[in-house]
Amino acid sequence: MTTINNRLTGALAVTTAALVGIAGTAVPASAAAAAKPGSAGLGDRLYPLLGNGGYDVTNYNLRLKHPAKTPTQKVTGSVTISAVATQSLSRFNLDFAGNGVGSVYVNGKAARFTRSGGELVVTPASYLPKGKGFWVTVNDFTATPVSAAKGEPEGFIATRDGTVLAGQPNTAHNLFPSNDHPRDKATYTIAVTVPSGWKGVASGKLLKTTTAGGYVTSTYREAKPMASELAQIVAGDFVVQNRKAVGGVPIRDVFPRRLASKLTGKAAIERSQMSWLTKKVGAYPFENYGSLVIEADLGFALETQTLSLYDTNVFSLPGYVLNPIMAHELAHQWYGNSVAPAAWSDVWLNEGHATWYEMLYASDTKTFKKYTGLANREAYFKAVYQLGDRFRAQYGPVAKPKNAKTVWNVFNPNVYDGGALALYALQQKIGAKKFAKLEREWAKKYKGKSASTAQFIALASKVSGKNLKPFLTNWLYGKKTPAMPGKNWKVLKASATATSAADALVFPNRAHLLSGHEH
């Protein structure tokens, strides 16, 4: 997710035949009695009820139908979730905040279910043994999109031209049942059915398109593990613009049909950005890439997997502002998408890295001063350093945001600018060559996985040949900003001064963006 304000600062479905024996297998009564409910959340410090315990999802087979050409309509869907029990389960939860549910089956047998807030509580006909695979199908669920609320991600969003998904960090389950936490990534097959004349698009590679009874169904496969909050599902009067592949990576953009001619030129920069970034951090981790632009007042851009989301307000910005933002979202495909955070307190690993490459791109393309109002990256990091104690006092340490009372308490300036500053301090400590190696190794070692700050510290220590735990612990968890290696920089005294006002002073040429955000 780019917060312009804060940074300014194969198969269509998993085969069930191999799993049929699970439900009918005779088990000792004592084993069944030992089964317990899975937890209603994963215990995330910031979002305790997000995700669910007791199982690990391996695949989603999601099917959605939009009955009419009406963006605000209620949609219907079914999803089959393949998973492995990590404990003996007497019941388990799915995250779901949509309108309703028709029926639920576990391993092909009808299951009892109840709704409790954003939880769908499922009780199977027989217990699920630890270590065994199972599948759950939720039929005929319904969900209704909401209008975009500037600055607050709402998940399932209606626009003038159709619907999109902006699920970060905790609203993907407004559309479909899931284990909605980045710690539980899975592969996806997504089939989007829309009336003829509309277009359905989703994360991943298009497998097939079929037409029947006045409807078109487009089926996509995201074969690389994806967090639910990063899934993108588009339905409406959109067109797909295919561009020439870059290094074997197909590029596709999605625009409202009526605006496509105005938007396609601005999006073309992503091809050169792909070349630029792969040279720095290694091979692109997914099947394809592109931009999705909608007419709405989102107030942020978002790195939904393989198809980054922007609104027309962002795309109306001059190139020297828009292009670094696009580089930020592209960088997320490595840092935040391919390597997802193990917990939301680790979000600096997403945003600090994306901000690092955003600023590096502005510097490399010689637009840094126009973009930030500062002479160069050195001046930027010095300015952020000066605000370090203020950021920590207001928002908490870099890797420990104070709370999640609003989404921007989590996606705060100290996660973006402070995260990038921590990376700069690390580069100063271990040298540019080892830092570049670490960046590639992090993206490679944890490709397709969820990883933590502790794992980043361990890898940094291994790559550098130094014990960096004390150094990085101070930078990422300390209440005060540590000394910058090799610099005699001073930190301004922490005060109650509004951070947004401080940002405006430090980044004068981006002050006009203070009403926006980028994830």
Side-chain angles (χ1 to χ4, degrees):
M1 185 185 289
T2 312
T3 62
I4 302 170
N5 174 33
N6 292 344
R7 266 189 7 287
L8 293 166
T9 35
L12 299 185
V14 173
T15 301
T16 60
L19 299 174
V20 170
I22 295 171
T25 301
V27 295
S30 58
K36 298 184 181 302
S39 62
L42 287 175
D44 190 288
R45 185 181 69 85
L46 294 169
Y47 299 100
L49 291 181
L50 199 60
N52 305 280
Y55 63 93
D56 178 64
V57 178
T58 56
N59 186 76
Y60 292 85
N61 190 343
L62 176 60
R63 304 164 294 281
L64 295 170
K65 183 174 182 179
H66 295 68
K69 294 181 179 179
T70 307
T72 56
Q73 71 191 304
K74 182 183 294 184
V75 304
T76 61
S78 296
V79 62
T80 297
I81 301 172
S82 301
V84 175
T86 58
Q87 69 175 66
S88 292
L89 286 169
S90 60
R91 71 169 187 260
F92 60 91
N93 286 23
L94 295 171
D95 297 308
F96 183 57
N99 302 125
V101 172
S103 62
V104 179
Y105 287 79
V106 177
N107 293 334
K109 292 187 176 183
R112 291 182 287 118
F113 66 92
T114 59
R115 300 286 301 279
S116 177
E119 301 288 327
L120 175 61
V121 184
V122 178
T123 303
S126 57
Y127 95 106
L128 304 174
K130 179 180 179 180
K132 298 294 184 179
F134 69 95
W135 76 97
V136 53
T137 298
V138 182
N139 290 316
D140 302 317
F141 66 80
T142 57
T144 304
V146 298
S147 298
K150 185 174 182 180
E152 287 292 332
E154 298 287 352
F156 188 31
I157 296 173
T159 74
R160 174 179 172 181
D161 302 284
T163 62
V164 300
L165 190 56
Q168 191 179 85
N170 62 337
T171 54
H173 63 275
N174 287 359
L175 174 58
F176 66 96
S178 63
N179 201 20
D180 196 7
H181 193 283
R183 193 181 305 169
D184 193 3
K185 301 173 71 175
T187 56
Y188 279 72
T189 296
I190 303 172
V192 189
T193 299
V194 296
S196 294
W198 267 25
K199 176 75 72 173
V201 187
S203 295
K205 181 180 179 180
L206 178 63
L207 296 183
K208 67 176 183 178
T209 301
T210 59
T211 302
Y215 289 91
V216 178
T217 299
S218 300
T219 303
Y220 290 80
R221 179 66 177 165
E222 178 48 273
K224 309 296 184 182
M226 177 168 68
S228 51
E229 50 101 6
L230 294 171
Q232 184 53 263
I233 304 169
V234 188
D237 191 15
F238 292 92
V239 295
V240 176
Q241 168 77 57
N242 291 306
R243 302 183 190 274
K244 186 178 180 181
V246 179
V249 179
I251 306 295
R252 50 117 188 222
D253 298 315
V254 181
F255 307 122
R257 184 184 305 277
R258 59 193 174 79
L259 302 176
S261 61
K262 297 179 180 180
L263 299 172
T264 186
K266 282 199 164 188
I269 193 71
E270 63 206 353
R271 295 190 69 256
S272 62
Q273 289 182 339
M274 179 67 75
S275 295
W276 175 81
L277 198 49
T278 53
K279 289 176 183 177
K280 293 189 179 298
V281 300
Y284 179 70
F286 301 118
E287 298 90 343
N288 51 19
Y289 185 66
S291 300
L292 163 63
V293 184
I294 60 173
E295 184 174 20
D297 195 6
L298 290 177
F300 59 86
L302 181 63
E303 66 276 11
T304 43
Q305 194 154 309
T306 75
L307 193 60
S308 291
L309 173 65
Y310 307 91
D311 65 22
T312 46
N313 291 332
V314 171
F315 249 63
S316 69
L317 296 169
Y320 67 84
V321 177
L322 173 61
N323 295 347
I325 292 171
M326 292 180 68
H328 180 113
E329 304 309 329
L330 176 58
H332 270 313
Q333 302 299 315
W334 284 263
Y335 306 101
N337 293 19
S338 178
V339 185
W344 279 111
S345 294
D346 299 316
V347 70
W348 81 274
L349 288 166
N350 302 18
E351 303 303 346
H353 276 97
T355 301
W356 176 271
Y357 290 103
E358 168 194 354
M359 295 301 172
L360 187 58
Y361 179 83
S363 179
D364 283 3
T365 55
K366 304 186 186 308
T367 59
F368 195 90
K369 187 172 183 179
K370 289 183 70 176
Y371 184 44
T372 66
L374 300 169
N376 49 40
R377 290 172 68 243
E378 183 88 352
Y380 159 75
F381 286 120
K382 183 177 181 180
V384 175
Y385 185 86
Q386 290 176 326
L387 291 173
D389 282 2
R390 294 185 181 183
F391 283 171
R392 289 169 191 254
Q394 184 166 353
Y395 298 107
V398 174
K400 196 175 181 179
K402 282 186 176 181
N403 58 59
K405 290 180 180 179
T406 75
V407 68
W408 306 121
N409 286 31
V410 179
F411 291 84
N412 67 68
N414 208 28
V415 160
Y416 289 79
D417 296 305
L421 182 67
L423 293 175
Y424 177 80
L426 177 59
Q427 185 189 57
Q428 292 292 111
K429 179 74 170 178
I430 66 176
K433 186 174 181 179
K434 286 185 177 179
F435 179 81
K437 182 180 179 181
L438 170 62
E439 290 293 277
R440 285 177 169 264
E441 286 296 312
W442 177 250
K444 181 179 178 180
K445 181 178 178 65
Y446 293 104
K447 179 180 179 180
K449 301 176 182 178
S450 302
S452 68
T453 298
Q455 288 170 310
F456 181 81
I457 292 172
L459 185 62
S461 297
K462 180 179 178 180
V463 170
S464 67
K466 300 178 180 180
N467 177 15
L468 294 172
K469 186 174 181 179
F471 177 82
L472 285 173
T473 297
N474 286 337
W475 270 98
L476 298 171
Y477 295 103
K479 293 183 179 180
K480 296 293 183 180
T481 307
M484 178 61 68
K487 307 292 180 182
N488 190 29
W489 291 350
K490 303 297 181 183
V491 180
L492 297 176
K493 183 178 179 180
S495 71
T497 303
T499 302
S500 58
D503 284 343
L505 292 173
V506 175
F507 309 118
N509 285 13
R510 289 197 280 168
H512 66 291
L513 303 175
L514 287 174
S515 61
H517 302 274
E518 59 180 2
H519 283 222

